[in-house]
Amino acid sequence: FPVTIHTRETAETEHQIESIVDHIYTGGKRKKQHAIEEYDFLIKWKEYDSSENLWLPYEEIKHTLAFGTYCQQHNLPYKKIV
């Protein structure tokens, strides 16, 4: 699935995710258990150098195959979105 990115330079552009390389908690107060919706994910784009990696919130990538794969590999809670 392509992800649509909105930037100042272009109204919107579709990019293919090569992989997700990291995640970071962006929620409020520290809790023992974090909801997956409270994370951002560092995206590596197909056909782009890693200097173009971009942090995206869960809502923008939750439907991608790369997201499901990353969650399984890192033991993160994941609900398959159909």
Side-chain angles (χ1 to χ4, degrees):
F1 294 92
V3 175
T4 302
I5 304 299
H6 301 277
T7 64
R8 282 185 248 176
E9 294 82 28
T10 61
E12 61 181 51
T13 305
E14 285 191 352
H15 298 284
Q16 292 282 327
I17 294 176
E18 180 176 309
S19 63
I20 299 174
V21 296
D22 201 1
H23 65 280
I24 188 170
Y25 178 70
T26 58
K29 295 181 181 179
R30 296 271 179 205
K31 301 177 197 171
K32 202 171 196 178
Q33 181 101 3
H34 303 302
I36 194 70
E37 295 86 358
E38 297 174 310
Y39 286 91
D40 283 357
F41 297 85
L42 186 59
I43 306 303
K44 167 72 173 91
W45 304 107
K46 283 186 180 178
E47 302 179 13
Y48 287 88
D49 186 73
S50 59
S51 66
E52 300 293 327
N53 290 1
L54 182 66
W55 288 98
L56 292 179
Y58 161 83
E59 285 297 321
E60 292 190 37
I61 62 165
K62 66 184 180 184
H63 63 280
T64 66
L65 179 60
F67 176 70
T69 301
Y70 184 84
C71 287
Q72 290 175 342
Q73 292 172 342
H74 293 86
N75 200 28
L76 294 173
Y78 169 65
K79 300 173 199 161
K80 187 172 183 177
I81 309 243
V82 180

